[in-house]
Amino acid sequence: MVVLTLAWITITISVALSPAKRLWPTCIIHGFIYFFFSVIWLYTEAQNYNNDYFIIDKISGPLAILSCWLYPLTLLASLNKMSIEPIYRQRCYILNATVLQVTTLLAFTAADMMLFFLFFEASLIPTLIIISRWGAQKARVGASNYLSVYTLGGAAPLLTLLLIFYSRYGTLNPDSTPYFTWFTTFPHPVLFWVALNLPFLIKLPLYGFHLWLPMAHVEAPVEGSMILAATLLKLGGYGMIRTSTMLPEPLFKTSILFMAIALFGVMVTAVLCYRQTDLKALIAASSISHMNLVVAAALIHSSWSYTGAVAMMIAHGLTSSALFCLANTIYERTNNRTIIILRGALVMFPLAGAWWLLFVLHNMGFPPTLNFMAETALMIALYYWSKTCFFSICFALVFTTGYSLYMLYSTFQGPFPMYIKVPLQFVIREHFLVFMHFLPMALLVVYPLLML
Ligand SMILES: *[C@@H]1O[C@H](CO)[C@@H](O)[C@H](O)[C@H]1NC(C)=O
């Protein structure tokens, strides 16, 4: 693990020194090489590889590998837009992306709660820089303000809690800390639970704390959207699952309110998707709906729900990242994201239509995709927990299918758009990029034990 972290730092050197012409290929190949090293984690987790600083187990392993996999893909996705900028800014961009990658990776694998918290919050800085520096429109400043105020507001209670805890027990390592005993002496269990989970609930985001997400997604450049959807939201889910495995059972009775909000959020955001006019905002709203399902799963606190939640996070990370890529390739050619103007895109990008169909099917959990498996596990967990909730989520899934098809239909069907003079075909890079999102999901469908 330490070796790998150091290896990531060597990317910095290659960014600084490689000649302008080779800059992007070098970095992308670097990224892929590190990914192949990170695959080792799938095998070390069998022995529950764990020391004082890093922890790789069934929850953090797949997510850490996902974040390694996404790094070269985000570089590939932003290559077209960035390579016309001055070379100094390109280097800055790659460096910022690398810092973001390393902080999320360390947050996923940190064993100590304080270390986790530090990296969790540190990932905000490169995200803010990427959104506010490379975003396309003026509103990006407002979006970054929202992002930082929400995230930091959530961080304050957890930091206080961790400091109190540390001053009492002198350690924050989850294995050695007597969380349970502390909980029984704590006067306000609900307050304790909220303080512990608020930053994660905001990051996921729970319905009600989600306002920053569509703004950040719409304003961010493609790399920002991909990382945000694929790994940063998952940091919240990971944090919730990680802390909830340490909490005692009775505490979950107090979190029933949040369960209700999450289930409500799944339904409401699925319905809200029908009202989106912006393609990126639609994908963002759809991720809120999926992530609320993860909140519900983390609150149910059973082994089925944890398995389902991790599978859901992996599947949703890859799917939404691919959808953002596809939306971006259309955006680069037509300079618009408004769904209604995009009608008839199928005539422009015939092959892209196949990719859209594939990933929309993934998004709505069509069997036998990975999303379908994840949803099934979650539904089974929910069914045992409460039958009423199960049926309400069934309704939400109908809406999910509906808006996914609506997205496909309203962007791709229809007459050829008159304002396009020269339709530009997809290039090999873009096909490769989308295929690389599909590949791990196909592998996991064939051999799901890899992840479990
Ligand atoms: C990130 O980008 C900013 C703005 O371009 C730049 O000043 C800064 O040096 C970059 N950060 C890193 C770590 O390279």
Side-chain angles (χ1 to χ4, degrees):
M1 183 64 218
V2 179
V3 176
L4 213 83
T5 317
L6 287 179
W8 274 105
I9 294 169
T10 59
I11 286 196
T12 319
I13 302 168
S14 66
V15 172
L17 297 184
S18 67
K21 247 171 90 182
R22 305 244 168 77
L23 180 62
W24 288 88
T26 323
C27 293
I28 291 168
I29 289 169
H30 250 96
F32 276 118
I33 291 173
Y34 292 149
F35 162 72
F36 285 113
F37 280 114
S38 77
V39 175
I40 306 168
W41 290 334
L42 280 179
Y43 299 100
T44 51
E45 92 190 20
Q47 309 140 19
N48 216 345
Y49 174 73
N50 186 349
N51 60 26
D52 279 355
Y53 300 105
F54 297 110
I55 177 167
I56 301 277
D57 58 5
K58 285 186 169 56
I59 305 170
S60 60
L63 289 168
I65 295 171
L66 173 73
S67 68
C68 286
W69 179 239
L70 255 289
Y71 173 76
L73 298 189
T74 50
L75 288 186
L76 260 181
S78 47
L79 192 121
N80 191 23
K81 193 88 176 290
M82 297 303 296
S83 50
I84 47 174
E85 296 211 350
I87 187 72
Y88 168 71
R89 282 181 56 178
Q90 294 182 27
R91 289 189 209 273
C92 266
Y93 179 77
I94 300 183
L95 275 186
N96 275 311
T98 312
V99 172
L100 180 56
Q101 153 72 24
V102 174
T103 46
T104 44
L105 189 60
L106 288 176
F108 276 133
T109 52
D112 190 276
M113 271 303 277
M114 191 50 119
L115 219 55
F116 168 69
F117 177 77
L118 273 184
F119 290 122
F120 179 82
E121 296 300 328
S123 66
L124 176 68
I125 299 168
T127 318
L128 274 183
I129 293 179
I130 286 180
I131 292 181
S132 57
R133 184 74 182 74
W134 282 278
Q137 300 154 25
K138 235 183 183 172
R140 64 181 189 259
V141 181
S144 350
N145 282 347
Y146 260 71
L147 175 61
S148 42
V149 168
Y150 268 75
T151 314
L152 295 180
L158 180 58
L159 183 61
T160 323
L161 197 69
L162 289 180
L163 289 180
I164 298 176
F165 199 96
Y166 188 79
S167 64
R168 280 203 194 168
Y169 293 103
T171 174
L172 281 169
N173 198 321
D175 290 333
S176 53
T177 31
Y179 279 90
F180 186 86
T181 48
W182 190 48
F183 161 68
T184 47
T185 62
F186 200 80
H188 308 290
V190 181
L191 209 63
F192 169 74
W193 192 88
V194 171
L196 188 60
N197 281 299
L198 193 63
F200 310 135
L201 291 176
I202 287 178
K203 199 77 171 195
L204 259 168
L206 182 70
Y207 183 75
F209 299 128
H210 69 284
L211 276 182
W212 62 271
L213 183 76
M215 297 178 81
H217 268 311
V218 170
E219 299 307 325
V222 58
E223 136 108 23
S225 304
M226 284 169 69
I227 291 270
L228 206 59
T231 51
L232 290 183
L233 303 191
K234 276 59 189 176
L235 268 181
Y238 170 71
M240 267 194 88
I241 295 178
R242 173 66 75 217
T243 51
S244 70
T245 49
M246 305 182 300
L247 292 176
E249 191 78 44
L251 203 48
F252 287 89
K253 302 222 164 53
T254 65
S255 54
I256 195 90
L257 169 70
F258 287 90
M259 187 74 177
I261 299 177
L263 292 179
F264 180 70
V266 176
M267 295 230 325
V268 170
T269 37
V271 175
L272 276 182
C273 283
Y274 291 93
R275 288 186 50 98
Q276 304 297 333
T277 50
D278 185 319
L279 193 54
K280 267 183 142 180
L282 202 166
I283 305 172
S286 128
S287 15
I288 300 174
S289 170
H290 284 98
M291 285 299 104
N292 274 293
L293 212 51
V294 173
V295 177
L299 289 178
I300 290 176
H301 193 54
S302 71
S303 64
W304 270 96
S305 74
Y306 286 147
T307 310
V310 174
M312 187 73 185
M313 288 198 277
I314 301 288
H316 175 263
L318 288 165
T319 312
S320 61
S321 162
L323 286 176
F324 276 119
C325 277
L326 287 168
N328 180 62
T329 47
I330 293 188
Y331 179 67
E332 277 176 2
R333 285 169 176 73
T334 60
N335 277 325
N336 98 69
R337 296 184 306 253
T338 311
I339 292 174
I340 204 77
I341 302 180
L342 282 174
R343 310 200 76 174
L346 188 60
V347 189
M348 277 188 283
F349 319 115
L351 251 178
W355 288 124
W356 271 99
L357 177 65
L358 188 70
F359 279 102
V360 164
L361 287 181
H362 273 91
N363 196 42
M364 65 192 189
F366 194 77
T369 57
L370 186 60
N371 307 50
F372 168 73
M373 294 182 182
E375 268 170 25
T376 315
L378 288 183
M379 297 299 269
I380 291 170
L382 252 175
Y383 186 78
Y384 281 114
W385 191 75
S386 146
K387 298 201 172 57
T388 328
C389 292
F390 173 77
F391 286 113
S392 67
I393 293 296
C394 284
F395 270 116
L397 290 186
V398 173
F399 287 123
T400 308
T401 313
Y403 75 72
S404 300
L405 289 176
Y406 160 73
M407 174 160 72
L408 188 70
Y409 176 80
S410 57
T411 49
F412 272 82
Q413 304 297 314
F416 187 75
M418 298 314 288
Y419 66 98
I420 300 283
K421 295 289 179 330
V422 197
L424 294 162
Q425 288 308 308
F426 262 43
V427 293
I428 302 276
R429 174 180 65 85
E430 283 151 352
H431 283 301
F432 178 70
L433 177 62
V434 187
F435 177 69
M436 280 300 168
H437 280 102
F438 174 63
L439 188 66
M441 285 203 275
L443 272 181
L444 284 174
V445 167
V446 177
Y447 187 52
L449 285 184
L450 208 60
M451 192 174 59
L452 302 179

